[in-house]
């Protein structure tokens, strides 16, 4: 059957609902944006299906943070085309924004939208002509002063936790990062819209909201007299029915005394702070163009711990950055141990074409990066175990999210400190916050008894 005949048949069978499948690469912001697109298509009558179910439209939301992300993005586009040669394939996200010419070369792509024109994606997909060869390209260069892209969600894939995007873009230009080029300069979502979205999500049964953005600490900074992040947090805290407010990745420089004082008064705030570190060596931080020192970082952590001594402090660290010597790495290792993180995502530096650091001399050998990554991860395992051990014998609240994927005799959820806890199985606990006592630590989670 030709594609034309196929389309005609579909038009004749009005009862047949069109199917949309999505695939998301990359970060929580991308996941949020995919969800917003799913809802946009559902409102237009599409049914959302999994990628293997033979959809009529595929949306691939791409990532470009490393060369590997680019490759995976291309693989998924080709996979979608292969799964249904009759389907419309639309490509969006950071890779599409930065490299539309490369995406165009992939046979069978019909719509390309970058990181600012997704509100036009549905119309473009609907307007695609059968057998159309050249794609519709909705990629516009990011402009200074552009506004927050109008996307919103009512639900998420998880049952209790919903992500809310409140900020886009980044002006930091860390020397290893391509994101400011893919996302443009900072812009913030209107406070009223944020609150309305949180209220909607709570009405739909979500009890926990996680705020995300490309550089959350920049919220409100692009405009004079606009709302600051703390104003938005205080308003979210007042939303009726919201139990937990969690923050995405933050810069340590945000943790100034006034901010922390106001932050710690929020009753829904989770005691979990992901403070981006990247390196525990000042020389490396400077080469990365990060705007703080290890001393600033430590002050930020101490400010939090003065009010919330058991708060989970988590972070990201890159090992093997160009020019990082053994001694520099040892500074990072020692600094991480000094802070005593609850968890660390360890990344091996990967040169990203188009960034200054990719051109730095003294690139570190892969073997050395692996060695450093292993050594840091071993230290992280010890830190994690120590962090979790302090809760043994303690009472805490767990928001039950699902039947445990580790052992179906247990339910599973997180505490406000983002500790993963197993609770003896009782189906009726699902989506409820329950009181438990932690009894033991097993690997990177805790077991508990109900109180
Ligand atoms: S803060 Fe640095 S690492 Fe984060 S998105 Fe901006 S440039 Fe990239």
């Amino acid at each position: 059957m030709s594609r034309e005949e196929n389309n005609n048949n579909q038009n004749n069978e009005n009862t047949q609902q069109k199917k949309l499948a999505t695939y998301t690469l990359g970060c929580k912001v991308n996941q949020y944006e995919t969800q917003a697109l799913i809802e946009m298509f559902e409102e237009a009558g599409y049914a959302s299906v999994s990628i293997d179910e033979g959809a009529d439209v595929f949306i691939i939301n791409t990532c470009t943070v490393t060369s590997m992300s680019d490759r995976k993005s291309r693989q998924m586009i080709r996979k979608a085309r292969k799964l249904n040669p009759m389907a419309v394939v639309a490509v969006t996200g950071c890779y599409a924004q930065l490299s539309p010419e490369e995406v165009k070369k992939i046979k069978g792509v019909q719509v390309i939208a970058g990181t600012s024109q997704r509100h036009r994606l549905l119309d473009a997909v609907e307007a695609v002509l059968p057998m159309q060869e050249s794609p519709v390209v909705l990629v516009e260069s990011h402009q200074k002063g552009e506004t927050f892209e109008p996307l919103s969600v009512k639900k998420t894939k998880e049952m209790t936790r919903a992500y809310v995007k409140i900020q886009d873009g980044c002006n930091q230009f860390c020397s290893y990062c391509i994101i400011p080029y893919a996302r443009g300069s900072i812009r913030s979502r209107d406070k009223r819209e944020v609150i309305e979205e949180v209220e909607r999500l709570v009405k739909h049964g979500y009890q926990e909201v996680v705020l995300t953005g490309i550089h959350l600490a920049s919220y409100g900074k692009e405009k004079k007299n606009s709302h600051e992040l703390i104003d938005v947090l205080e308003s979210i805290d007042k939303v009726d029915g919201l139990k937990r407010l969690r923050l995405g990745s933050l810069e340590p420089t945000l943790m100034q005394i006034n901010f922390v004082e106001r932050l710690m008064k929020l009753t829904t705030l989770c005691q979990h702070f992901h403070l981006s570190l990247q390196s525990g060596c000042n020389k490396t931080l400077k080469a990365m163009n990060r705007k703080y020192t290890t001393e600033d970082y430590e002050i930020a952590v101490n400010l939090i711990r003065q009010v919330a001594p058991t708060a989970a402090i988590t972070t990201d660290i890159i090992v093997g950055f160009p020019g990082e010597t053994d001694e520099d790495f040892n500074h990072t290792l020692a600094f991480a141990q000094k802070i005593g993180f609850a968890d660390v995502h360890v990344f091996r530096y990967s040169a990203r074409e188009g960034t200054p650091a990719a051109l730095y001399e003294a690139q570190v050998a892969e073997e050395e990066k692996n060695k450093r990554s292993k050594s840091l991860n071993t230290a992280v395992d010890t830190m994690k175990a120590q962090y979790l051990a302090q809760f043994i014998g303690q009472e805490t609240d767990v928001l039950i999210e699902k039947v445990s994927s580790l052992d179906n005799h247990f339910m599973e959820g997180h505490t406000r400190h983002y500790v993963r806890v197993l609770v003896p199985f009782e189906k009726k606990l699902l989506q409820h916050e329950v009181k438990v006592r932690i009894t033991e630590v097993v690997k990177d989670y805790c077991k508990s008894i109900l109180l």
Side-chain angles (χ1 to χ4, degrees):
M1 190 191 294
S2 75
R3 174 135 174 216
E4 211 154 18
E5 285 165 335
N6 187 53
N7 279 358
N8 287 339
N9 281 352
Q10 284 184 7
N11 290 340
N12 293 338
E13 294 167 30
N14 284 335
T15 49
Q16 198 174 343
Q17 198 176 17
K18 280 189 269 182
K19 293 181 195 158
L20 166 77
T22 58
Y23 189 85
T24 311
L25 295 109
C27 62
K28 295 284 184 214
V29 173
N30 262 18
Q31 284 170 27
Y32 175 93
E33 289 161 348
T34 301
Q35 179 59 33
L37 291 173
I38 290 173
E39 291 183 24
M40 187 192 284
F41 277 72
E42 282 179 346
E43 273 163 30
Y46 286 74
S48 173
V49 298
S50 79
I51 199 133
D52 297 313
E53 280 179 66
D56 305 289
V57 176
F58 288 94
I59 296 177
I60 312 299
N61 195 358
T62 59
C63 175
T64 193
V65 76
T66 62
S67 314
M68 179 63 93
S69 322
D70 287 0
R71 200 172 321 140
K72 280 191 185 158
S73 298
R74 289 192 294 270
Q75 276 168 3
M76 277 318 297
I77 299 166
R78 290 196 190 99
K79 181 175 173 186
R81 168 52 61 230
K82 228 172 160 181
L83 281 171
N84 182 2
M86 302 296 178
V88 176
V89 176
V91 181
T92 182
C94 293
Y95 177 55
Q97 175 73 31
L98 268 194
S99 313
E101 292 307 319
E102 281 180 22
V103 179
K104 263 191 201 172
K105 282 186 207 148
I106 305 174
K107 208 169 165 2
V109 173
Q110 281 134 318
V111 182
I112 305 172
T115 52
S116 68
Q117 299 299 313
R118 282 170 284 220
H119 50 286
R120 294 164 59 198
L121 195 64
L122 173 63
D123 286 345
V125 164
E126 300 260 280
V128 162
L129 298 170
M131 308 308 282
Q132 177 179 306
E133 282 291 334
S134 25
V136 177
V137 181
L138 307 173
V139 178
E140 289 186 8
S141 305
H142 286 292
Q143 304 293 331
K144 244 197 152 113
E146 75 182 274
T147 50
F148 192 85
E149 195 183 10
L151 294 174
S152 65
V153 302
K154 289 195 204 73
K155 57 186 182 191
T156 68
K157 276 192 183 147
E158 295 181 42
M159 290 175 92
T160 55
R161 184 179 301 127
Y163 293 85
V164 174
K165 179 183 158 190
I166 67 165
Q167 187 278 336
D168 207 339
C170 182
N171 294 356
Q172 299 294 304
F173 292 95
C174 298
S175 62
Y176 54 85
C177 182
I178 198 76
I179 295 305
Y181 309 94
R183 288 273 174 179
S185 46
I186 55 169
R187 48 215 187 268
S188 312
R189 190 169 185 186
D190 181 68
K191 180 181 159 191
R192 183 184 298 274
E193 271 182 41
V194 175
I195 304 303
E196 282 172 2
E197 183 154 294
V198 173
E199 286 172 344
R200 250 191 334 264
L201 288 161
V202 170
K203 257 191 213 135
H204 279 83
Y206 295 95
Q207 298 173 60
E208 178 173 323
V209 155
V210 186
L211 299 188
T212 65
I214 297 296
H215 192 248
L216 258 192
S218 291
Y219 182 90
K221 297 260 190 287
E222 75 274 25
K223 293 179 239 157
K224 275 192 191 131
N225 307 322
S226 73
H227 290 290
E228 290 182 26
L229 182 60
I230 193 67
D231 297 326
V232 179
L233 300 182
E234 285 173 346
S235 296
I236 295 176
D237 192 50
K238 294 190 190 104
V239 171
D240 231 15
L242 179 71
K243 286 219 172 85
R244 294 180 175 191
L245 169 60
R246 208 179 284 282
L247 305 176
S249 180
L250 297 171
E251 289 264 321
T253 46
L254 184 70
M255 293 292 164
Q256 302 295 322
I257 194 147
N258 291 345
F259 180 84
V260 175
E261 272 175 6
R262 285 171 70 184
L263 188 69
M264 292 302 180
K265 286 188 187 135
L266 307 180
T267 54
T268 57
L269 183 78
C270 289
Q271 304 291 301
H272 169 214
F273 304 94
H274 188 85
L275 290 189
S276 185
L277 175 63
Q278 308 306 353
S279 173
C281 156
N282 282 337
K283 184 194 104 189
T284 311
L285 283 175
K286 200 160 179 226
M288 289 175 162
N289 197 27
R290 303 288 291 178
K291 316 282 190 308
Y292 52 85
T293 61
T294 52
E295 290 76 18
D296 299 329
Y297 193 95
E298 203 175 345
I299 290 170
V301 171
N302 289 340
L303 274 176
I304 295 171
R305 285 185 172 156
Q306 271 165 22
V307 192
T310 59
I313 311 286
T314 58
T315 201
D316 302 315
I317 295 179
I318 299 172
V319 296
F321 188 76
E324 184 190 68
T325 61
D326 275 346
E327 199 188 342
D328 297 335
F329 170 71
N330 287 335
H331 281 307
T332 293
L333 184 61
F335 186 73
Q337 286 165 323
K338 185 177 181 193
I339 295 294
F341 287 106
D343 202 358
V344 180
H345 297 143
V346 179
F347 297 93
R348 277 163 298 169
Y349 171 76
S350 155
R352 180 61 178 86
E353 201 189 319
T355 62
L359 303 173
Y360 288 177
E361 286 174 10
Q363 297 283 330
V364 176
E366 288 305 313
E367 199 185 327
E368 192 54 41
K369 288 181 202 167
N370 289 340
K371 215 170 95 195
R372 290 176 193 173
S373 162
K374 211 167 154 198
S375 157
L376 184 53
N377 271 317
T378 305
V380 172
D381 286 344
T382 308
M383 283 183 245
K384 262 201 250 182
Q386 280 168 351
Y387 180 74
L388 294 178
Q390 69 179 316
F391 295 109
I392 295 177
Q394 304 272 315
E395 285 180 21
T396 185
D397 294 323
V398 178
L399 183 53
I400 304 294
E401 294 155 23
K402 58 181 183 178
V403 175
S404 176
S405 44
L406 296 162
D407 179 343
N408 61 10
H409 295 96
F410 291 89
M411 309 296 284
E412 183 179 319
H414 285 85
T415 67
R416 286 169 183 260
H417 294 69
Y418 209 58
V419 172
R420 189 182 183 195
V421 178
L422 300 194
V423 177
F425 183 89
E426 268 188 53
K427 194 79 192 262
K428 65 172 196 275
L429 301 181
L430 201 61
Q431 291 177 273
H432 289 276
E433 200 172 41
V434 295
K435 251 201 190 332
V436 304
R437 175 168 290 120
I438 303 295
T439 53
E440 60 176 315
V441 174
V442 186
K443 291 186 186 150
D444 53 1
Y445 57 92
C446 288
K447 276 193 172 170
S448 69
I449 51 167
L450 277 162
L451 293 176

